[in-house]
Amino acid sequence: MQYTKLGNSDLTVSRICMGCMGFGEAGNGQHSWTIDEEHSREIIKEGLELGVNFFDTAVGYQSGTSEQYVGRALRDFAKREDVVVATKFLPRTQEEIRQGITGQEHIERLINTSLKNLGLDYVDLYIYHMWDYETPLYDIMEGLNRIVKEGKARYIGISNCFAYQLAKANALAKKEGFPKFVSIQGHYNLIFREEEREMAKLCAEDNIAMTPYSALAGGRLSKRPGETSKRLEEDSYAKFKYDATAQQDQVIIDRVADLADKRGVSMTEISLAWLLTRVTAPVVGATKLHHIQGAAKAVDLVLTEEEKNYLEEAYVPHKLVGVMAQNTPAAAKQEHVWSTGSQKIVTK
């Protein structure tokens, strides 16, 4: 495993971040295909043995059960100081807004809930899961400043935002003496490269870490025609993101398969090796042991310029999909993509 600093923080992270969205009680949340605690623990243990020290979850994953599984496993298998734990919080709900709960109070409630789920005193990275168009930015940044000062989070990151929003937030933080966002978790992979337009340039200039999700496009970049999985069959949200461009994307997926054959490695290794040339640490989901094993191998695979060009040249621009397409000012009062589900939110 290789390690690097996470942007402008002093956190040393593995080049592969284990994405924990696939862990949690199946059906108790957005996904039906998640795996139980026993299998989650096996994968987390294997990841640790392979040198993975960076784990990403969220309060919205399977009603908090992802955080619970991750927290218990890390307490059993690792020393707290040896791992970097990231979790994410959601925008205020319309109910909270009606109740008069401020952005700061909302952040305090959700970090407390996450810490209880994880069984931890603090998280290393607290991530703003999607832009809250109903809450003033100052309220969000001041709320995050408070929890950093309280020692509940060491650093803050952001996910699912535009480059102008990240620049605006960090400019406000600089002006007010608040912590800045040190990382961005956006949707980025070989078949969805829209982050290269502006976000990647901003991150390079300001040393903001890119830790993209959907690194393998929900498994599409790791499977040959005819191969399937429970997730590929049941993940309706991933279908919503990728089905419309499946024909043009298949050209690139076929090139990944071709290159994997030529190099004698897996498609996972090729796809991630390409992404690792452009980002700090991709967030790689794993629901089977070989998923994390393949991801770890990708760190040592070096692609030639010709190979990278072969993978890149067939790409055509894509429309925004997923959270970025759905989470708009016009849709802000509607039900969010993610929710905290059935869990009880800690108020103190």
Side-chain angles (χ1 to χ4, degrees):
M1 184 52 64
Q2 295 172 15
Y3 301 87
T4 188
K5 289 292 182 190
L6 187 77
N8 292 308
S9 79
D10 69 355
L11 299 172
T12 299
V13 297
S14 50
R15 293 294 312 280
I16 296 294
C17 174
M18 184 179 288
C20 302
M21 188 178 78
F23 306 154
E25 290 177 15
N28 186 12
Q30 185 171 343
H31 301 303
S32 61
W33 48 266
T34 56
I35 60 172
D36 62 23
E37 185 160 11
E38 180 188 351
H39 291 97
S40 300
R41 288 170 67 85
E42 285 178 7
I43 290 167
I44 292 167
K45 190 166 189 274
E46 179 73 4
L48 288 163
E49 288 172 1
L50 291 167
V52 173
N53 76 340
F54 190 11
F55 296 84
D56 174 87
T57 183
V59 75
Y61 292 165
Q62 301 307 96
S63 301
T65 58
S66 171
E67 289 182 324
Q68 291 164 20
Y69 291 6
V70 171
R72 286 194 283 264
L74 291 180
R75 288 200 304 278
D76 288 346
F77 301 140
K79 293 178 182 174
R80 178 65 187 93
E81 63 271 19
D82 292 342
V83 290
V84 174
V85 180
T87 195
K88 302 185 274 294
F89 71 98
L90 294 161
R92 286 190 301 169
T93 63
Q94 289 301 308
E95 185 181 355
E96 284 178 301
I97 292 168
R98 285 192 293 273
Q99 290 172 352
I101 293 168
T102 67
Q104 291 187 43
E105 290 168 333
H106 167 76
I107 290 169
E108 190 78 35
R109 285 159 58 110
L110 289 193
I111 187 67
N112 289 343
T113 303
S114 286
L115 292 176
K116 184 180 179 188
N117 284 339
L118 289 160
L120 299 177
D121 296 325
Y122 68 93
V123 292
D124 299 280
L125 184 66
Y126 198 42
I127 301 170
Y128 186 16
H129 205 156
M130 49 191 269
W131 197 263
D132 186 346
Y133 289 101
E134 296 281 275
T135 302
L137 178 58
Y138 188 94
D139 216 17
I140 298 288
M141 301 308 289
E142 190 169 27
L144 288 168
N145 178 54
R146 278 173 54 176
I147 66 161
V148 170
K149 282 190 168 178
E150 289 169 3
K152 293 178 180 179
R154 291 181 65 193
Y155 294 96
I156 61 170
I158 192 165
S159 180
N160 294 305
C161 72
F162 293 101
Y164 85 87
Q165 292 171 326
L166 175 51
K168 186 176 172 183
N170 275 354
L172 176 63
K174 182 177 180 180
K175 176 173 174 280
E176 299 294 337
F178 296 157
K180 290 182 181 180
F181 291 119
V182 299
S183 65
I184 167 68
Q185 190 176 128
H187 177 199
Y188 186 26
N189 57 51
L190 256 175
I191 58 172
F192 192 87
R193 291 168 50 193
E194 301 309 299
E195 290 286 79
E196 292 173 17
R197 294 178 184 276
E198 293 195 12
M199 185 62 81
K201 297 175 178 69
L202 172 67
C203 291
E205 203 165 294
D206 290 358
N207 193 30
I208 297 165
M210 294 182 75
T211 62
Y213 67 86
S214 278
L216 294 169
R220 284 156 183 78
L221 283 162
S222 62
K223 289 183 174 57
R224 297 167 187 276
E227 291 183 343
T228 189
S229 67
K230 186 175 173 68
R231 179 176 183 180
L232 269 180
E233 290 168 10
E234 297 184 13
D235 191 342
S236 58
Y237 197 68
K239 289 178 182 179
F240 162 70
K241 287 197 294 188
Y242 297 112
D243 278 6
T245 55
Q247 191 173 350
Q248 66 196 58
D249 294 342
Q250 192 61 47
V251 176
I252 297 168
I253 295 168
D254 289 344
R255 290 188 177 203
V256 171
D258 177 47
L259 205 49
D261 287 342
K262 286 176 179 169
R263 295 292 296 265
V265 298
S266 66
M267 290 175 66
T268 293
E269 288 167 70
I270 295 291
S271 300
L272 293 179
W274 175 84
L275 196 53
L276 281 159
T277 65
R278 292 165 173 262
V279 305
T280 303
V283 177
V284 184
T287 52
K288 293 185 173 71
L289 283 175
H290 73 84
H291 293 167
I292 192 61
Q293 290 162 350
K297 284 180 186 173
V299 173
D300 296 320
L301 181 62
V302 179
L303 301 176
T304 67
E305 288 303 313
E306 291 77 15
E307 288 170 334
K308 285 186 276 187
N309 290 337
Y310 178 61
L311 294 171
E312 293 168 13
E313 64 188 4
Y315 184 76
V316 296
H318 283 48
K319 290 181 180 177
L320 277 183
V321 292
V323 176
M324 292 294 292
Q326 291 176 286
N327 185 39
T328 64
K333 289 183 167 61
Q334 298 169 14
E335 190 176 339
H336 295 145
V337 177
W338 290 102
S339 77
T340 54
S342 61
Q343 67 190 305
K344 189 178 189 313
I345 301 303
V346 180
T347 55
K348 291 182 181 178

